[in-house]
Amino acid sequence: MTLQLVTLYLLGINIITLAAYGIDKWKARHHQWRISEVVLLFLAFIGGAMGAFLGMRLFHHKTQHWKFRILVPLLLILQIAALVYCRS
């Protein structure tokens, strides 16, 4: 049961994070109100690092910002390591 909840949470937060990156890119192109960098990084921090990484690659968004180029892959590695550790 717990593994199912964690899996559902991670799936949901990564979908939300990927969508947030896509929406922010769209808003940037249309000169509209943007999602703050703090929110985008927070979504990655709380489990959405894979969605953030995919969003950076798919939408070519935030790829020139050092905070994102360093923190998102680092968070992804840490989250994968935590999953592997918890599974063993």
Side-chain angles (χ1 to χ4, degrees):
M1 182 66 167
T2 304
L3 182 59
Q4 289 175 334
L5 289 175
V6 170
T7 302
L8 285 174
Y9 171 76
L10 289 174
L11 182 63
I13 194 63
N14 280 287
I15 290 170
I16 290 168
T17 304
L18 178 62
Y21 276 69
I23 290 166
D24 191 53
K25 179 66 174 194
W26 184 89
K27 288 182 174 213
R29 287 187 172 177
H30 292 88
H31 308 288
Q32 292 187 359
W33 170 85
R34 305 276 303 279
I35 299 170
S36 74
E37 290 185 353
V38 171
V39 169
L40 293 173
L41 287 171
F42 180 72
L43 288 169
F45 179 76
I46 62 170
M50 178 59 81
F53 186 79
L54 290 174
M56 289 174 65
R57 298 295 173 240
L58 289 172
F59 306 119
H60 304 284
H61 193 50
K62 300 293 186 187
T63 57
Q64 299 301 313
H65 297 261
W66 71 267
K67 288 185 279 189
F68 289 86
R69 288 177 64 179
I70 293 170
L71 290 177
V72 170
L74 180 62
L75 288 169
L76 180 57
I77 290 167
L78 291 173
Q79 289 171 14
I80 290 170
L83 284 174
V84 169
Y85 177 77
C86 289
R87 297 258 319 171
S88 57

